[in-house]
Amino acid sequence: MHKKLFIPGPVEVRKEVLDQMAKPMIGHRSKDASVLQRRISDNLRKLFFTESEILLSTSSGSGLMEGAIRSCTLKKAAVFSCGAFGKRWHGMAVNNNVQADIFEVDMGKGITKEMVDNVLKTGEYDLVAVTHNETSTGVMNPIYEIGEVIKKYPDVVFIVDAVSSAAGTKVEVDKIGIDVCITSSQKALGLPPGLAICTFSKKARERAEKVPNRGFYLDLLSLYKYIQKKDYQYPSTPSISHMYALDYQLDYILNNEGLENRFNRHLTMARVVREWGKKYFELFPEKDELLSNTLTTIKNTRGISVADLNKELGKRGFAISNGYGDLKEKTFRIAHMADCQVEDVRELLDNIEDILGL
Ligand SMILES: Cc1ncc(COP(=O)(O)O)c(C=O)c1O
């Protein structure tokens, strides 16, 4: 039996989107490929509210996260972490011989603008990396406020992991001042995994020009230069199937559902889950202002077996996520992202109540 996924990626993918991936191939050096990839970039600019160039990579989001920190750090990166994915970004820097320091807050807390300001005041750093939506804790960081602070430091390149938030909540890249904003196909965009997407500003490009040894496959500058020269074709063979699906889905998001409606739907679903979580358990993030719009991490205050709950849900055709890493069994996570509807979320919660006898 197929289980409806309420995990924070991969997500449920609409049948029409899956069908796009079964379409016959076109040559990646054909004019049709250029037209397809150009249209995708144009539409992604609308989704990210940016004039920046868009880069696609046939990898998961981690690929472009690694590429961004390596391609755009000249002096030293300041990585701000409030959970597993922030830590991972720092690990990527270290493993690429990129100078980087990590600034952490306890799980459940958010990154503050004061924290970022204090670190940048030292003048030691020329890149800031922030996780917008920390999928392990369900914390959504105040990215607009953080962006305002970073604007005081014009030499600092700002890179953001919006892997589990973009397309589910508004991330206005140019207004916030983000130089590289990264997402993955398998989260709020509602596609299968396998494609990473990022924005790439002029400032990020100028920085990368000065950075030696940017790697090869994930060198953001070489991707940028290639698509300029070759009319949006990529240096390596891309996943054309993902491109079809993305093109189709972007048209649906922008012209059928509408961006604002999509963001509002995510917020409505989030509110339903938060209310439920507060009624029967507690929410993990320390403050309501930090609650994510795309997934909710719930404290297991009743001491239930999350694994058993998920087993029972599985028999009924649903899947949620256990807590991440050390938070396993101490928390559980319900994702409400991509094309899932409020009724789907309610159905899931009714089933959880029934199984737990709430
Ligand atoms: C916040 C965040 N960052 C990064 C990643 C890594 O993305 P990917 O699995 O697409 O490489 C994830 C995946 O869950 C995530 O949730």
Side-chain angles (χ1 to χ4, degrees):
M1 191 212 309
H2 171 68
K3 293 179 200 163
K4 251 195 214 177
L5 299 179
F6 291 88
I7 63 173
V11 294
E12 281 300 297
V13 179
R14 293 184 299 128
K15 166 90 173 55
E16 303 88 300
V17 177
L18 287 174
D19 288 347
Q20 292 297 311
M21 297 204 54
K23 277 170 47 175
M25 287 301 103
I26 51 171
H28 66 300
R29 298 283 170 243
S30 64
K31 194 163 185 324
D32 286 347
S34 289
V35 170
L36 175 67
Q37 290 173 164
R38 200 175 329 115
R39 187 168 57 231
I40 287 172
S41 292
D42 287 344
N43 282 335
L44 281 170
R45 265 189 282 277
K46 294 181 191 157
L47 186 112
F48 282 111
F49 300 85
T50 186
E51 301 284 318
S52 283
E53 189 52 281
I54 299 288
L55 304 175
L56 304 174
S57 163
T58 298
S59 65
S60 72
S62 301
L64 287 177
M65 286 171 66
E66 183 163 344
I69 203 153
R70 179 164 176 177
S71 303
C72 298
T73 309
L74 188 58
K75 221 157 60 173
K76 207 192 228 185
V79 180
F80 291 88
S81 172
C82 59
F85 291 101
K87 276 200 180 77
R88 196 191 274 195
W89 218 348
H90 179 248
M92 286 173 182
V94 171
N95 282 288
N96 276 286
N97 282 325
V98 171
Q99 290 294 311
D101 289 330
I102 185 165
F103 301 93
E104 296 182 82
V105 294
D106 291 342
M107 298 264 239
K109 292 190 182 325
I111 308 297
T112 63
K113 58 177 196 271
E114 290 80 12
M115 196 179 159
V116 175
D117 203 10
N118 285 335
V119 167
L120 290 183
K121 265 186 206 154
T122 64
E124 272 185 60
Y125 304 94
D126 62 358
L127 180 136
V128 164
V130 174
T131 316
H132 179 212
N133 192 64
E134 179 48 70
T135 318
S136 56
T137 60
V139 162
M140 194 174 259
N141 283 307
I143 205 75
Y144 283 79
E145 288 179 15
I146 294 171
E148 279 312 308
V149 164
I150 296 176
K151 282 178 193 160
K152 293 201 304 187
Y153 303 90
D155 293 336
V156 171
V157 168
F158 184 22
I159 68 176
V160 172
D161 164 358
V163 165
S164 61
S165 55
T169 197
K170 200 182 244 177
V171 184
E172 293 164 293
V173 164
D174 289 356
K175 187 170 172 188
I176 302 169
I178 303 174
D179 295 299
V180 183
C181 187
I182 302 152
T183 198
S184 305
S185 54
Q186 78 280 9
K187 309 273 185 191
L189 269 171
L191 303 174
L195 194 68
I197 296 162
C198 75
T199 65
F200 190 52
S201 74
K202 181 164 176 277
K203 183 162 147 191
R205 200 168 81 223
E206 286 168 358
R207 168 64 59 73
E209 293 277 6
K210 297 184 191 138
V211 176
N213 300 320
R214 297 181 304 271
F216 188 86
Y217 188 69
L218 299 167
D219 171 8
L220 268 48
L221 184 60
S222 82
L223 287 177
Y224 173 86
K225 285 187 173 163
Y226 201 94
I227 64 170
Q228 303 309 311
K229 204 163 107 193
K230 302 279 184 172
D231 197 10
Y232 285 86
Q233 292 176 10
Y234 280 84
S236 309
T237 319
S239 172
I240 291 162
S241 307
H242 277 91
M243 308 274 180
Y244 285 146
L246 178 57
D247 184 42
Y248 182 88
Q249 181 71 335
L250 286 169
D251 180 56
Y252 169 82
I253 292 172
L254 296 170
N255 304 319
N256 190 321
E257 181 170 30
L259 266 184
E260 292 299 328
N261 290 338
R262 190 173 184 83
F263 299 147
N264 285 333
R265 176 171 54 79
H266 278 80
L267 189 58
T268 308
M269 294 191 294
R271 285 182 174 143
V272 168
V273 179
R274 289 169 193 170
E275 206 176 297
W276 182 89
K278 282 181 178 172
K279 182 169 171 196
Y280 294 113
F281 295 88
E282 274 174 40
L283 305 186
F284 186 71
E286 77 165 354
K287 288 192 282 195
D288 278 4
E289 302 92 272
L290 294 173
L291 294 175
S292 160
N293 291 351
T294 52
L295 95 147
T296 300
T297 300
I298 296 171
K299 261 194 222 170
N300 183 6
T301 46
R302 290 176 174 256
I304 61 162
S305 161
V306 177
D308 287 351
L309 168 63
N310 227 353
K311 230 180 265 165
E312 287 307 311
L313 280 170
K315 291 180 195 160
R316 300 176 182 215
F318 303 96
I320 60 168
S321 276
N322 209 319
Y324 193 99
D326 293 345
L327 295 176
K328 196 168 175 181
E329 292 296 332
K330 294 185 188 135
T331 63
F332 58 96
R333 295 172 297 156
I334 298 176
H336 26 81
M337 60 170 83
D339 296 322
C340 141
Q341 303 295 320
V342 183
E343 306 80 67
D344 300 319
V345 170
R346 289 219 166 89
E347 191 189 13
L348 169 77
L349 298 177
D350 286 348
N351 275 278
I352 299 180
E353 282 178 30
D354 192 45
I355 292 166
L356 297 179
L358 298 174

